[in-house]
Amino acid sequence: MSLPDLDPDLDPDLDPDAPPEHRRYTRHLEILAATPGPSAEAEAMAAVLRDPDRVMAESAAVTHLDRRAAGLLADDAFTAWARAMSAVLAGREFPERRLREWSLLKAVTRGEPWSAAELTGASDWCQRTAVRLLGSYRALELLAADARTRRVRNAAAERLRRRPVLPRSE
């Protein structure tokens, strides 16, 4: 498969007065969103990560991971997608961690094995996202008691009081 050109100057829809890194960021996200399937997506992600602005490239990668993982969370395709992304993200600490945390959220969502230590040791972002997305009584109860921040503990406790969650056995 041939990837679209990552040069933002070739995209007439991008603001020509925006800083070049902003145009590249936008173009990277467009290309990543349009890729069909894990292997093409991994190839596109590798191209994005070759951008000379490492911080901007990793930011685009993490934004894409967040968008794609949220859509795949309950899908069987998540595992193959995560495996393909993992190979490309090797050695990039922040994107690797975000992918691991999405994998943890997927495990909790699908009733797969996960540990309390994983969830309580996860980043603030992961814990906030867990409270917002998960329906697992066990996970919410754990976060209500032991989350890293008061904000997450309160949100988990409120979610337990107000929203239907999965049975206690989960």
Side-chain angles (χ1 to χ4, degrees), residues 13-37:
D13 295 330
L14 296 178
D15 179 2
D17 296 327
E21 65 275 10
H22 291 203
R23 292 194 320 268
R24 288 196 321 276
Y25 176 86
T26 300
R27 182 75 173 136
H28 292 339
L29 290 177
E30 289 171 353
I31 289 168
L32 287 165
T35 55

Side-chain angles (χ1 to χ4, degrees), residues 48-65:
V48 166
L49 291 171
R50 285 191 297 271
D51 190 285
D53 184 339
R54 183 180 178 111
V55 172
M56 182 277 302
E58 288 185 5
S59 179
V62 168
T63 298
H64 177 71
L65 290 175

Side-chain angles (χ1 to χ4, degrees), residues 39-114:
S39 63
E41 191 173 352
E43 188 180 335
M45 182 69 81
V48 166
L49 291 171
R50 285 191 297 271
D51 190 285
D53 184 339
R54 183 180 178 111
V55 172
M56 182 277 302
E58 288 185 5
S59 179
V62 168
T63 298
H64 177 71
L65 290 175
D66 289 347
R67 291 174 179 174
R68 183 73 84 208
L72 290 173
L73 203 55
D75 192 314
D76 289 338
F78 183 97
T79 302
W81 170 81
R83 193 174 310 118
M85 290 298 103
S86 180
V88 174
L89 299 174
R92 297 192 179 251
E93 185 178 339
F94 181 57
E96 279 184 311
R97 179 176 182 148
R98 185 57 63 89
L99 183 59
R100 278 193 312 274
E101 290 181 332
W102 274 113
S103 295
L104 171 61
L105 294 171
K106 187 227 16 145
V108 176
T109 298
R110 304 213 29 180
E112 297 168 357
W114 58 277

Side-chain angles (χ1 to χ4, degrees), residues 5-6 9 28 33 41-42 45 58 61 64 77 84 96 112-113 132 134 148 150 157-158:
D5 196 320
L6 293 175
D9 294 328
H28 292 339
E41 191 173 352
M45 182 69 81
E58 288 185 5
H64 177 71
E96 279 184 311
E112 297 168 357
R132 191 171 36 84
L134 301 180
R148 294 164 50 105
R150 183 180 320 154
E158 181 66 19

